[in-house]
Amino acid sequence: MKKFVNDPKDYVPQMLKGIALANPDTLRYVPEYNLIMRADAPRHDKVSIVQGSGSGHEPAHVMAVGTGMLDGACPGDVFAAPPSDYVYESAKLLASDKGVLLLVNNYTGDKMAFEMAQELAEADGLTVRTLFIDDDVAVQDSTYTVGRRGVAGNFFVMKAVGAAAEAGADLDEVVRIGEKVNSVTRTLGIALTACTPPAKGAPLFELGDDEIEIGVGIHGEPGRRRAKIMTADAIVDEFLGAVVPDLPYAAGDDVALMVNGLGGTPISELYLLYGIAHEKLAARGITVRRSYVGEYCTSLDMAGASLTLVRLDDEITKFLEAPAEIAIRVF
């Protein structure tokens, strides 16, 4: 393994410290709770939006903190849920007069941590709601989840609820919008290689030189099946063959299309996949109105990609188009 790392147990704190030092005017770092928060938070004229999850998925979620996006993110160690007290203390620090919304990707450890944190915060008299994101179509249950996993589609929920909160919506309305976006968002991931967590020092799983994992999770969880490497056209067929029927998306739909890199894939390959997917959707009568290509939710250094569709209407489009300012300009 070759990585830029000192002691693996310091990997996440040193990363977070670097983010804060690079953005001193816009971000505040609270090392006791792995918390990256907006420098102007909490603002009592808006709902505060907080997300956690494990580290290793950057730019999600600590690099999505800013105006019109998250007010704070408190990650755990690599691929590990944050401790419930981190979430609880983060909710207290970000408590707003309009309440706090906790966004949670649907993994068992994350659900337990955030639900316990919500109970503790409510016992202190805070107004807190939790919204679970479960856009992955690959499997219904996995090693880490009961139900579907939350993967790269979480970006669209973050963006929509962040915009709604910035516009002054109350907590119930922000939750409604987040649930609506989650309900029309579907994702599938395909891995070309495994990823290597710093603490493990070896790949999480083995793929042959001619193998791919269809439906891989963002922690390296197994997907639908292992297959032989195929052409880009055939891989896009795998993406669309799983995602399009799941909602289903149909002729006449307007959609947002995201091709997300999993950490080790050149941007040129992501655009290649995007172009093929765009044309194949058009052939089905599905119109791409908004486009996203790049790294939004990664799996460390995994080579691979995920494809996400969001069915658009005027309300969802308004929130996705709303301005956002984040310290780290990746979105």
Side-chain angles (χ1 to χ4, degrees), residues 1-260:
M1 178 189 74
K2 293 181 181 178
K3 288 187 178 293
F4 296 111
V5 64
N6 294 312
D7 187 330
K9 69 179 176 60
D10 294 328
Y11 179 82
V12 171
Q14 289 190 323
M15 171 191 69
L16 298 176
K17 182 178 180 180
I19 291 171
L21 289 173
N23 301 277
D25 297 328
T26 53
L27 297 179
R28 176 185 166 200
Y29 173 39
V30 185
E32 295 88 346
Y33 313 120
N34 278 4
L35 173 63
I36 294 286
M37 59 187 287
R38 286 171 56 169
D40 64 348
R43 274 180 37 198
H44 293 289
D45 62 339
K46 67 178 292 296
V47 173
S48 290
I49 313 295
V50 182
Q51 186 150 4
S53 183
S55 298
H57 306 302
E58 293 74 30
H61 302 93
V62 290
M63 299 178 188
V65 175
T67 306
M69 292 290 288
L70 300 178
D71 293 278
C74 56
D77 290 335
V78 171
F79 296 172
S84 59
D85 61 315
Y86 283 23
V87 184
Y88 165 58
E89 296 292 348
S90 295
K92 288 202 299 182
L93 286 169
L94 286 160
S96 156
D97 291 346
K98 298 192 75 167
V100 178
L101 175 60
L102 304 177
L103 298 180
V104 189
N105 290 339
N106 187 39
Y107 294 92
T108 301
D110 295 273
K111 288 186 69 173
M112 291 175 60
F114 277 77
E115 288 173 338
M116 184 176 296
Q118 179 179 351
E119 291 179 8
L120 293 169
E122 288 175 337
D124 284 346
L126 303 182
T127 302
V128 181
R129 297 279 296 278
T130 303
L131 193 159
F132 297 104
I133 301 165
D134 58 354
D135 55 300
D136 188 6
V137 307
V139 291
Q140 178 60 35
D141 299 298
S142 74
T143 307
Y144 293 79
T145 64
V146 176
R148 292 185 167 188
R149 307 176 292 214
V151 287
N154 70 67
F155 164 78
F156 295 100
V157 178
M158 284 191 290
K159 180 67 183 70
V161 299
E166 206 68 44
D170 65 24
L171 184 55
D172 286 342
E173 179 67 358
V174 172
V175 171
R176 181 193 69 80
I177 290 161
E179 289 176 341
K180 177 180 178 180
V181 173
N182 183 61
S183 74
V184 294
T185 301
R186 301 288 189 273
T187 301
L188 183 81
I190 294 179
L192 306 183
T193 70
C195 55
T196 303
K200 181 175 174 61
L204 277 183
F205 58 95
E206 295 295 332
L207 274 177
D209 290 342
D210 62 345
E211 290 183 319
I212 61 175
E213 184 75 27
I214 297 173
V216 69
I218 54 175
H219 309 99
E221 312 98 307
R224 292 185 165 189
R225 73 182 197 279
R226 193 158 290 191
K228 296 297 184 182
I229 186 66
M230 55 188 75
T231 65
D233 279 329
I235 283 177
V236 172
D237 286 337
E238 292 283 348
F239 279 133
L240 298 182
V243 172
V244 170
D246 193 87
L247 189 57
Y249 302 86
D253 282 349
D254 291 339
V255 299
L257 168 61
M258 171 189 282
V259 175
N260 165 67

